[in-house]
Amino acid sequence: MNFLKYSSFFLIIIFLLNAVLAQFPEVTVEISVDRMPEKERADLKTLEQKIPYYFEGYEWFENTYGIEIPLKISMFPEAVSTSGFERVFTSRFLITNEAADLRFFEKSFKFAYNSNDPLMHSEMIHSLTSALDFYAYMFIAGELDTYDPLGGNNIYDKARDIATRGQTSQRPSGWKERLRDLEEIQGLRDYRLAKYYYWNAIDNIDQGKPDAVKIAIDEMLKHLDRMFDINARERNTHIFLDVHARDIAEIIRKYGTPEQLDEIILQDPDNEAIYKKLGTQH
């Protein structure tokens, strides 16, 4: 009885620790195996089950904000080859957060994976796990940007270190492009600040501070204007606006001004119909 009692207590402690560590509490992975030979199909389906645990059971950073980031990963392997003792897959790869306002796509994601290979966290560069590490830090950095202005910089540095070492590894494929994507996003200062002030507006709504909401909207619009002065079709910013246009319209209708509504329509004409329908006072 004592053994059972202590075993149960131990399992509860492990569960609670995992809950604390779960910065990625839910990771959904789908690997389409239709184009693969029979043996590879079975192995890839095993990998499909391993990847969520790789994300969920690891402390990626000191999570003082209690951040939780559900992820969705879709992989579409199209070719497989053998190189020495390694089996190398070439796949399309898509990873998004739950809202899909941050997403990364690779047309030719090459990774080595053999039957029963464990997925282990390591400082050594591996074509699969290091890529997963890189994207984990990209999503954490993007999330931290919504808590503090440019708050993700330190985590972007972790992703940069992986990508830099990846370029000089035995399998450098894909790392140059990943580093380019990182540099692009981190350099989009006004996109990142517009995101921050959008979420700051929502935080102020939750705290019952309507005047602060209006100020946050002004700041968001200011940084969107600066972003689009540089590049009117900046992809990441438009993805963010496409996902959140309805909420932006509702926030402006309830807490903002007609001038702010006119401004967001001017900046984001792709979603003009949404802003006019939901952002107008009735």
Side-chain angles (χ1 to χ4, degrees):
M1 290 294 293
N2 285 339
F3 174 76
L4 291 175
K5 181 173 69 174
Y6 287 119
S7 295
S8 298
F9 177 76
F10 179 75
L11 289 173
I12 290 171
I13 293 297
I14 293 296
F15 174 80
L16 292 174
L17 284 173
N18 283 338
V20 172
L21 296 178
Q23 291 139 20
F24 297 101
E26 183 178 355
V27 178
T28 304
V29 179
E30 183 177 356
I31 302 180
S32 176
V33 298
D34 296 347
R35 298 188 179 186
M36 291 290 102
E38 192 64 34
K39 183 181 186 306
E40 278 68 26
R41 291 186 184 190
D43 290 342
L44 287 170
K45 282 301 177 182
T46 300
L47 177 63
E48 183 180 79
Q49 297 173 358
K50 290 180 180 179
I51 291 176
Y53 293 104
Y54 185 81
F55 280 94
E56 294 167 3
Y58 185 70
E59 186 175 16
W60 294 91
F61 74 114
E62 188 176 349
N63 192 5
T64 56
Y65 289 112
I67 286 172
E68 294 185 347
I69 312 170
L71 294 178
K72 181 177 181 181
I73 299 172
S74 300
M75 299 174 68
F76 306 89
E78 297 178 324
V80 59
S81 61
T82 302
S83 175
F85 294 103
E86 286 189 323
R87 210 172 29 170
V88 179
F89 293 88
T90 301
S91 174
R92 285 177 289 154
F93 176 89
L94 174 67
I95 182 168
T96 74
N97 59 3
E98 185 175 39
D101 61 3
L102 184 60
R103 62 189 78 159
F104 299 97
F105 174 73
E106 294 194 24
K107 189 175 182 179
S108 183
F109 177 50
K110 296 182 184 296
F111 64 95
Y113 179 69
N114 295 321
S115 303
N116 301 317
D117 275 357
L119 299 189
M120 300 176 61
H121 294 274
S122 171
E123 289 296 314
M124 295 181 62
I125 295 296
H126 184 276
S127 56
L128 176 58
T129 55
S130 296
L132 298 180
D133 293 348
F134 172 83
Y135 284 117
Y137 287 125
M138 290 295 285
F139 280 98
I140 292 169
E143 188 72 12
L144 287 172
D145 274 350
T146 70
Y147 283 78
D148 287 308
L150 309 179
N153 280 341
N154 289 339
I155 303 298
Y156 279 126
D157 288 342
K158 290 180 179 291
R160 179 179 291 102
D161 175 66
I162 295 170
T164 301
R165 289 187 292 114
Q167 288 189 99
T168 59
S169 67
Q170 290 183 336
R171 294 196 178 279
S173 175
W175 287 111
K176 179 179 179 181
E177 291 77 14
R178 290 170 196 145
L179 184 59
R180 180 197 62 204
D181 289 344
L182 184 158
E183 299 286 1
E184 176 187 349
I185 286 182
Q186 190 175 16
L188 294 173
R189 184 177 185 275
D190 289 298
Y191 154 71
R192 295 169 64 193
L193 288 170
K195 276 176 47 179
Y196 166 75
Y197 282 109
Y198 166 79
W199 289 108
N200 181 251
I202 291 177
D203 286 343
N204 283 311
I205 290 171
D206 293 340
Q207 295 173 34
K209 300 178 180 178
D211 291 340
V213 176
K214 183 180 176 183
I215 293 171
I217 296 169
D218 275 336
E219 289 296 315
M220 179 191 74
L221 292 170
K222 178 181 75 176
H223 288 290
L224 287 175
D225 185 54
R226 290 178 178 176
M227 182 69 259
F228 291 144
D229 275 348
I230 298 169
N231 180 358
R233 300 305 307 171
E234 199 290 306
R235 184 181 67 88
N236 296 285
T237 310
H238 279 287
I239 288 173
F240 185 83
L241 290 173
D242 287 345
V243 170
H244 296 288
R246 290 179 174 273
D247 290 332
I248 291 171
E250 292 280 1
I251 291 169
I252 291 177
R253 179 173 63 83
K254 293 178 181 178
Y255 301 95
T257 66
E259 291 76 19
Q260 289 175 330
L261 183 64
D262 291 341
E263 181 66 20
I264 191 64
I265 291 172
L266 181 66
Q267 293 176 2
D268 184 25
D270 292 353
N271 291 302
E272 178 178 359
I274 292 174
Y275 296 130
K276 285 185 173 179
K277 180 179 179 180
L278 299 179
T280 304
Q281 297 285 347
H282 298 294

